[in-house]
Amino acid sequence: MAISAKAKQIFADHGANQHIFALATASKSGVPNVVPIGFLFVANDDEIWVIDNYLNKTLANVRENPVAAVYAQGGENGKECIQVKGKVTYEDSGADYEACVAKAHAVNPAYPAKGLFKIKVSCEFDTAPGPNAGKKL
């Protein structure tokens, strides 16, 4: 599924203003884990990438259950909210991984940049309060 223009804009607004996203995963048995993420960006028309600096539980969950959800808030006055869900792959080598290491190290050379989570978006939901809350986009 292509990431909508609305979702791309909300992720861009959110990252520019708040710099923290919520990333949710779950173990194979359904135990949830939600973490704050700073290094998240829309990489192309259907993938969101997350740089793994300290995501130990997240990585364990993805290895057992390779799906995730990401939440962002943005738009005018921060009133638009979006959730995207998708299948996750993890890379710790290759050109995409190396590009993410360089991006992390440009911010702070001490970041470990252990790996790269690639979330292939399969669906989007409106999560803003109101009559469209929870509706699939």
Side-chain angles (χ1 to χ4, degrees), residues 73-84:
Q73 183 176 346
E76 188 176 333
N77 298 318
K79 293 184 179 181
E80 294 186 76
C81 306
I82 189 115
Q83 179 193 71
V84 298

Side-chain angles (χ1 to χ4, degrees), residues 100-120:
C100 287
V101 169
K103 188 171 189 155
H105 288 171
V107 174
N108 184 339
Y111 286 140
K114 300 181 296 185
L116 170 62
F117 293 96
K118 290 182 171 182
I119 304 168
K120 181 128 175 123

Side-chain angles (χ1 to χ4, degrees), residues 12-69:
D13 290 347
H14 182 88
N17 295 319
Q18 296 180 10
H19 305 288
I20 300 295
F21 300 88
L23 174 65
T25 59
S27 68
K28 187 176 181 179
S29 62
V31 177
N33 184 54
V34 178
V35 293
I37 299 296
F39 280 110
L40 180 149
F41 53 96
V42 176
N44 55 51
D45 285 339
D46 63 353
E47 287 184 326
I48 292 173
W49 291 1
V50 176
I51 298 173
D52 175 11
N53 284 311
Y54 310 107
L55 301 174
N56 299 324
K57 282 191 242 177
T58 300
L59 179 56
N61 283 350
V62 164
R63 286 188 170 144
E64 290 181 7
N65 183 18
V67 294

